[in-house]
Amino acid sequence: MPAGGKADWLAGQLRQAIADGRLAVGDRLPPTRVLAAELRLSRGVVTEAYRRLAEDGHVEGRRRGGTVVVAAPHSVPAAPCAPEPPAPGAAHRAVPGALFAAEPDADVFDLLRAAPAHADFTPGRPALAAFPRAAWLRAERAVLAELSADQLGYGDPRGDLRLRRAVAGWLARNRGIRVRPEQVLIVAGTAQALTLLHPVLRGDGVDAVAVEDPGSLGSRQHLRHGGLATPPVPVDGDGVRVDALRATGARAVLLTPAHQFPTGVVTSGERRRDLLGWARDGGLILEDDYDAEHRYDRPPVPALRALTDRVCYLGSVSKLLAPALRTGWMVPPPQYLGPLTDAKRFTDLGNAVLPQLVLAHLMESGALERHLRLLRGRHRARRDAMIAALAEHLPGAVVHGAAAGLHLTVTYAADVPDTVLAAAALERGVKCQPLSWHRQRPGRPGLVLGYAATPPGVIAESVATLGTALRELAS
Amino acid sequence: MPAGGKADWLAGQLRQAIADGRLAVGDRLPPTRVLAAELRLSRGVVTEAYRRLAEDGHVEGRRRGGTVVVAAPHSVPAAPCAPEPPAPGAAHRAVPGALFAAEPDADVFDLLRAAPAHADFTPGRPALAAFPRAAWLRAERAVLAELSADQLGYGDPRGDLRLRRAVAGWLARNRGIRVRPEQVLIVAGTAQALTLLHPVLRGDGVDAVAVEDPGSLGSRQHLRHGGLATPPVPVDGDGVRVDALRATGARAVLLTPAHQFPTGVVTSGERRRDLLGWARDGGLILEDDYDAEHRYDRPPVPALRALTDRVCYLGSVSKLLAPALRTGWMVPPPQYLGPLTDAKRFTDLGNAVLPQLVLAHLMESGALERHLRLLRGRHRARRDAMIAALAEHLPGAVVHGAAAGLHLTVTYAADVPDTVLAAAALERGVKCQPLSWHRQRPGRPGLVLGYAATPPGVIAESVATLGTALRELAS
C-alpha cells in the first residue's frame, strides 16, 4: 500500500470510530508517535491522517492538549449490513493482529469479530447464507395468525410448552434422548445455560468444573467468571482421559463428547463407558452437544444424556440455523430442574415467545431436518475444499477432527507461535483462532479453522494465504 | 356448582395435570382428605373425581399406596392457545385462591398466571389484542430481505447498533433523554437489567438498594435474590420521601418516578430536585421507567436520566408492545457501561438479532409511535370503565394513580385482608394482586388492578364481582 493509501485507510478508520461513538467529542487522539508504533506505521502516515480529519473539521490540534475530537461526521448511515464497531475502547484496538498479542480477555471474541477480514474461519458458524429465510417468514406468519393475546403477556420461564415438546421430539429423533417436554428448559443459547448453572452448581457445593485440554477458551472464561475453577483434563485420541479426570477431584466436568472442541475427537465406546462409571460414582457431566448433528461419514453417536440422567445436556440452534437466534435448550438432571427454572426466571423471565413458536413450527413441519440435510451436503463440500487446500498449501500440517462438525484443527511443525501466525493471517485478511487460545497447558501450535460459513473458492485462496504467511514467518 | 359439577371440574384439572406432566406416571395423588381440605371441597367430591380418573384408566387405587398415576391421556393436544401449566409442583398448587395463603415466593407470579380466570387484572400488560401483527410481519419480511449472512452469526453483546440508534431516538423524542447509541445497552427486559446490575453494584461496593414502599414485589424479590438488601422508603403524594431515603444510608435506590408502582404517584417537581441533590451527593438512582409513555392528561414528565447521568435508566417494550417480546434497554451511568457489557456477554452473548431489527424498523418508521397513540386511546377508555365500575360497586374504595399507566390501585376501609379478598376474587374467576404483596410495612389493604388488557365490558362485570366478594367477606 502506498503511504497516501495508508493515511487514507487510517483516516477512514478514525472517521468511523468518531461516527459510531468509540471516539467521542472531547476525546483526545493518541499522540502520533504512540499510534504509529502501535500500528507499525510511519509517524508521517499518522500525522497525515490526523491532518485530513482536521480538514474535515472532525478534530483540532491543540498544541499541548494534543489532537482532540470536536465534531462527529454529520450523517451516520444506518447501514444494516455494515460490520458493527467493537466494544468501547481506543480506536487502535481494532487494528488487525494486535489482539493476538495479549492474553485473551473476556472481550477477545468481540474484538476478533469486529476486525475487518476477507475470509472468516472463526469456528462455530454454519453456512449462514443458507439460512431458510422463506421458511422462517412463513412460520412467523402462521405463528402471528394463530397466537392468542394471552401468549403475548408474560410466559413460562421454562419456555413455551409447544417448543419444549418439539425439542423433546428433536432430541429423540436426532440425539437418542428420551425425555418429557417438562424436563426441557428453553434458554438463550449455551452461554446462558452456563450462566444459569453457575449458582446452581455452587449451591450444590461444586466449586470446580474440570474442562478438556485443549478445550473451548470461551467456556473456560465463562466458568471462571462464574467463580468456578477449571482444572484441565488431557484429551487423547479416544476423548477426555477419565483417569486424569478422577485425579482432579472435581465433581463436575464440561465435555464435548460427540465432537471434541477443538480437536474434533469423537469419544470412543470404551471411554464413554469409563465416563458413565465416573458419573455413577457421583460425577456430574455437563454435555455441550454443540455440533453433534453434523456428522459426515455415519449417523452421530447418541448423546451421553441418552444413557444417564447424571448429565446436564446443552444444545442450541446456533449450528443448525444461526447463532444470532440465541436459542438453545437444556435437559438437566432432575434435581436441578427447579433451581434452574428459578435462575432462568430471575435472568430474563424466559425466552421471547415469537421466535420460540417459529422454531417449534420449523421442528414440527420437518423444515429443520430438511435444512440440516442441506447443511450437511454444503458443509461436506467446504470441508473437502479445506482439506485439499491444506494438503496443497500447508503440506507438513496435520489435520484433526474433520469427520464431523463445522471446523477442523490443524497443527504444524514450524517453530512459529500460533498467535503470531494468526496475527499475520489477519493482517492479510484471513481470520482464524490460534489453537493455543484453547489450551491451558503447552502443546503444539495450530489453528482452529471453521469452514462451514465460507464458500469453497474463498477457502482455497485463504488457505493459500495461510501457507504463505507460515512460510514467511518460518524462514 | 352441583357436587357432580365440582367432581367434573376437579377430574378435568387432574387430567390436564397428568397430560402436561405436572403429575407424572408413578406419582401419588394427595390423600382425598388432604386435597378436600386444601380445596375447601367435600371429601366426597374428591373421591368421585378420583373414581372418574380410575374409570378412564389414568390412575389406580393401591390401598396403602394411595392413588397412583398409571397412564397419561393418549393425545396431548398441542393447543397453542391453551394456558401453560405452572412450574412443577403438586396438582393442588394450581387451585384458585390457595396461592394467596402463604408468603409470596419466587414462583408466585407463575402460579398466579397459570390459575384459570375469567378476567385478568394482573398489572403490567397493555392491550395485547391490539398487538400490531401485520406491521410486525411486514417489518420481519423487510429484515429477512436485507439481512446479511454475517448478521446471522454472533453479534454485539450490547445489541445491534441499528436498534441502539432507534432506541436513542425514541428516548430523545419520548423521554427527553439525549444519549448516543453507544450509551444504550439492549437487554431482555427489566428483569434482565436488574440481573446484570447485581454483580456490577456489588462490585462497586453497593450492598443495599433502597426501594419504594409500597413498591414492586417482583423487583424486591429480584434484588434480594441478587444478594442486595432492600430497605423500604415510604412514598407519599409527592413521590418517594428523600429524607427517609437519606436515613437508610443506602447508596442506591430503585425508583418508578414517572408513575410509581403500585400507588401511581407522579413524582413532584420539588421531590425530583431533592432526588437530584441526593444523587449529586453520591447516590445512584435505578430508574424503572416501565410505563411512563402512558400518560392520559398531559405529556409525560421527562425521565430523571434526562437530568443527570447518576441514573441507570431501565425501559422496555413490555408495556408498549408485549411482555412476551422480552426486549428492553438500559442507559447506565458511563462508568457502568463496560462492566454491564461484560455481564451481558456472559449472560447470553446479546439479544437475538431478528427481533431487534424488527423493532428498529417499527421505531424508525413511526409505527411504534402510532401504536402508542392507539394504545393511549384504548387504555383511557378501559381506565374510565374501571373507575366508573369501582364507583358503582366498591363505593367506599379510594382510587390511586389513575392519571397514567396501565393500572390503578384501590384501597378500602373494610377489615378484610387483601390476600383474602384476592383469593375470593380468584375463586370467582377474577385475577388481581393484593396491595400487601407490594408492601414491606403494614398499611391499608387494597388491590392493584391492571385494566389495560381487558375490554370495558369484562371490566364492568368483574369489578361487580369484586364488590360482591368484598361485601360478603366484610359482612
Side-chain angles (χ1 to χ4, degrees):
Chain A
M1 218 194 287
K6 287 182 185 169
D8 257 341
W9 169 82
L10 179 58
Q13 295 284 103
L14 291 168
R15 206 173 279 122
Q16 189 56 42
I18 298 170
D20 61 42
R22 279 171 290 154
L23 286 171
V25 170
D27 279 2
R28 190 171 151 171
L29 297 183
T32 52
R33 180 181 36 75
V34 171
L35 190 57
E38 292 231 24
L39 303 187
R40 303 194 216 160
L41 293 170
S42 79
R43 198 166 164 188
V45 168
V46 178
T47 308
E48 171 65 12
Y50 283 16
R51 201 184 57 72
R52 291 183 193 182
L53 289 171
E55 279 177 359
D56 296 346
H58 298 323
V59 304
E60 270 180 11
R62 291 187 184 165
R63 289 177 166 258
R64 283 162 194 281
T67 303
V68 174
V69 178
V70 292
H74 265 297
S75 72
V76 181
C81 302
E84 296 169 21
H92 64 266
R93 294 191 73 179
V95 172
L99 66 95
F100 293 105
E103 270 296 292
D105 211 344
D107 61 353
V108 71
F109 297 108
D110 287 347
L111 294 171
L112 184 58
R113 190 173 51 251
H118 171 63
D120 187 353
F121 290 146
T122 303
R125 300 178 312 152
L128 295 172
F131 183 81
R133 299 176 192 226
W136 185 275
L137 188 63
R138 273 196 305 276
E140 179 104 18
R141 182 184 296 114
V143 164
L144 285 166
E146 69 200 14
L147 194 72
S148 73
D150 265 355
Q151 287 184 288
L152 289 164
Y154 291 94
D156 191 317
R158 298 169 297 171
D160 192 278
L161 185 56
R162 183 160 177 185
L163 178 58
R164 288 187 286 146
R165 284 191 181 119
V167 167
W170 176 270
L171 292 175
R173 291 193 302 279
N174 291 282
R175 306 299 300 124
I177 301 174
R178 303 259 160 206
V179 286
R180 284 177 294 121
E182 292 69 30
Q183 296 173 266
V184 175
L185 276 180
I186 303 301
V187 297
T190 301
Q192 180 169 78
L194 291 178
T195 294
L196 302 179
L197 275 166
H198 294 160
V200 174
L201 290 173
R202 288 194 316 258
D204 201 21
V206 173
D207 56 5
V209 175
V211 296
E212 300 159 325
D213 187 29
S216 160
L217 167 65
S219 300
R220 194 165 75 238
Q221 286 178 336
H222 207 295
L223 291 166
R224 287 189 182 167
H225 176 78
L228 295 158
T230 58
V233 183
V235 173
D236 64 21
D238 285 318
V240 76
R241 280 189 32 212
V242 180
D243 54 339
L245 170 58
R246 285 190 193 271
T248 65
R251 285 179 45 209
V253 65
L254 176 62
L255 297 178
T256 49
H259 183 237
Q260 202 273 331
F261 186 90
T263 66
V265 169
V266 178
T267 308
S268 69
E270 189 182 338
R271 202 55 67 78
R272 287 162 68 91
R273 282 190 293 279
D274 292 351
L275 280 169
L276 294 179
W278 178 81
R280 260 196 313 275
D281 295 344
L284 172 71
I285 296 170
L286 311 182
E287 180 174 27
D288 181 0
D289 204 39
Y290 66 109
D291 70 356
E293 293 93 346
H294 303 266
R295 179 95 197 225
Y296 302 116
D297 47 354
R298 60 185 117 126
V301 291
L304 291 177
R305 186 61 173 79
L307 307 171
T308 169
D309 67 4
R310 289 290 306 165
V311 170
C312 185
Y313 178 88
L314 317 176
S316 85
V317 297
S318 294
K319 280 72 178 174
L320 289 170
L321 283 166
L325 297 177
R326 308 307 314 127
T327 303
W329 41 81
M330 309 176 72
V331 183
Q335 73 275 18
Y336 281 2
L337 190 58
L340 287 168
T341 300
D342 286 344
K344 176 66 174 165
R345 185 189 297 111
F346 280 113
T347 297
D348 56 18
L349 301 181
N351 273 32
V353 78
L354 292 178
Q356 287 190 74
L357 294 176
V358 171
L359 181 58
H361 258 266
L362 296 178
M363 286 178 152
E364 290 163 6
S365 69
L368 189 58
E369 253 123 348
R370 278 195 297 280
H371 184 62
L372 176 57
R373 281 196 295 277
L374 180 152
L375 284 184
R376 277 206 200 102
R378 196 161 295 192
H379 292 173
R380 176 199 286 270
R382 292 171 178 195
R383 176 197 65 163
D384 293 347
M386 181 162 271
I387 291 175
L390 288 168
E392 182 179 349
H393 300 292
L394 281 89
V398 180
V399 170
H400 310 261
L406 313 184
H407 76 276
L408 53 77
T409 291
V410 34
T411 52
Y412 56 85
D415 188 22
V416 175
D418 53 20
T419 47
V420 172
L421 177 56
L426 188 55
E427 277 163 19
R428 287 169 169 81
V430 180
K431 201 182 286 191
C432 51
Q433 294 181 358
L435 177 55
S436 60
W437 273 8
H438 303 290
R439 287 190 190 281
Q440 294 199 65
R441 301 177 313 173
R444 290 185 70 179
L447 297 176
V448 184
L449 300 171
Y451 48 74
T454 309
V458 179
I459 288 177
E461 67 191 43
S462 304
V463 170
T465 303
L466 290 179
T468 308
L470 183 56
R471 273 192 305 280
E472 287 183 10
L473 289 166
S475 63
Chain B
M1 218 191 287
K6 287 181 186 168
D8 258 341
W9 169 83
L10 180 57
Q13 295 284 105
L14 291 167
R15 207 173 279 123
Q16 188 58 42
I18 297 170
D20 62 41
R22 279 171 290 156
L23 286 170
V25 170
D27 278 2
R28 190 172 150 171
L29 297 184
T32 52
R33 180 182 34 77
V34 171
L35 190 57
E38 292 232 23
L39 303 187
R40 302 192 217 161
L41 293 170
S42 78
R43 199 165 165 189
V45 167
V46 177
T47 308
E48 171 64 13
Y50 283 16
R51 203 186 54 72
R52 290 184 194 183
L53 289 171
E55 280 176 357
D56 296 346
H58 298 323
V59 304
E60 272 179 11
R62 292 187 182 164
R63 292 179 165 256
R64 283 163 193 281
T67 304
V68 174
V69 178
V70 292
H74 265 300
S75 73
V76 181
C81 300
E84 295 169 23
H92 63 265
R93 296 192 70 178
V95 172
L99 66 94
F100 294 106
E103 270 296 290
D105 211 344
D107 61 354
V108 72
F109 297 108
D110 287 345
L111 294 173
L112 184 57
R113 190 173 51 249
H118 171 63
D120 187 353
F121 291 148
T122 303
R125 299 177 314 151
L128 295 173
F131 183 82
R133 297 174 193 227
W136 185 275
L137 188 64
R138 273 196 305 277
E140 179 104 18
R141 182 184 297 116
V143 164
L144 284 166
E146 70 199 13
L147 193 73
S148 73
D150 264 354
Q151 287 183 290
L152 289 163
Y154 292 94
D156 192 318
R158 298 170 296 171
D160 193 278
L161 185 55
R162 183 159 176 185
L163 178 58
R164 286 186 286 147
R165 283 191 181 118
V167 168
W170 176 269
L171 292 174
R173 291 193 302 279
N174 292 282
R175 305 299 301 123
I177 301 174
R178 304 258 160 208
V179 287
R180 285 177 292 121
E182 292 70 30
Q183 296 173 268
V184 176
L185 276 181
I186 303 301
V187 297
T190 300
Q192 180 168 78
L194 291 177
T195 294
L196 301 179
L197 274 166
H198 293 160
V200 173
L201 290 173
R202 290 195 313 260
D204 201 22
V206 173
D207 57 4
V209 175
V211 295
E212 301 159 323
D213 188 27
S216 160
L217 166 65
S219 299
R220 194 166 76 239
Q221 285 178 334
H222 208 295
L223 292 166
R224 287 188 184 168
H225 176 78
L228 296 157
T230 58
V233 183
V235 173
D236 64 20
D238 286 320
V240 76
R241 280 192 29 214
V242 180
D243 56 338
L245 170 58
R246 283 189 194 274
T248 65
R251 286 179 45 209
V253 66
L254 176 62
L255 296 178
T256 50
H259 183 237
Q260 203 271 331
F261 186 89
T263 68
V265 168
V266 178
T267 309
S268 71
E270 189 181 339
R271 201 57 66 82
R272 287 162 67 90
R273 282 189 293 279
D274 292 350
L275 279 169
L276 293 179
W278 178 81
R280 259 196 314 274
D281 295 344
L284 172 71
I285 296 170
L286 312 183
E287 180 175 28
D288 182 359
D289 204 40
Y290 66 110
D291 70 356
E293 294 94 345
H294 303 266
R295 178 96 199 224
Y296 302 115
D297 48 353
R298 59 186 117 125
V301 291
L304 291 177
R305 186 60 173 81
L307 307 171
T308 168
D309 67 4
R310 289 292 303 166
V311 169
C312 184
Y313 178 88
L314 318 176
S316 86
V317 297
S318 293
K319 280 73 180 173
L320 290 170
L321 283 166
L325 297 177
R326 307 308 313 127
T327 303
W329 41 80
M330 310 176 71
V331 183
Q335 73 275 18
Y336 282 0
L337 190 58
L340 287 169
T341 301
D342 286 344
K344 177 64 174 164
R345 185 189 298 111
F346 281 112
T347 297
D348 55 19
L349 302 180
N351 273 31
V353 79
L354 292 177
Q356 288 190 72
L357 294 175
V358 171
L359 182 58
H361 259 266
L362 296 179
M363 286 178 151
E364 290 163 6
S365 69
L368 189 60
E369 253 124 348
R370 278 194 298 281
H371 184 62
L372 176 57
R373 280 197 294 278
L374 179 151
L375 284 184
R376 276 205 199 102
R378 196 160 296 193
H379 292 173
R380 177 198 286 269
R382 293 171 177 197
R383 177 196 66 162
D384 293 347
M386 181 162 271
I387 291 175
L390 287 167
E392 183 178 348
H393 300 292
L394 281 87
V398 181
V399 170
H400 310 264
L406 313 184
H407 76 276
L408 53 77
T409 291
V410 36
T411 51
Y412 56 84
D415 188 21
V416 175
D418 51 21
T419 47
V420 172
L421 177 55
L426 187 54
E427 277 163 20
R428 286 168 169 84
V430 179
K431 201 182 285 190
C432 52
Q433 295 182 358
L435 177 55
S436 60
W437 272 10
H438 302 290
R439 288 190 190 281
Q440 293 199 67
R441 299 177 316 173
R444 293 185 69 181
L447 297 176
V448 184
L449 300 171
Y451 48 76
T454 309
V458 178
I459 289 176
E461 67 190 43
S462 304
V463 170
T465 303
L466 290 177
T468 307
L470 183 56
R471 273 192 305 281
E472 287 183 10
L473 289 165
S475 64

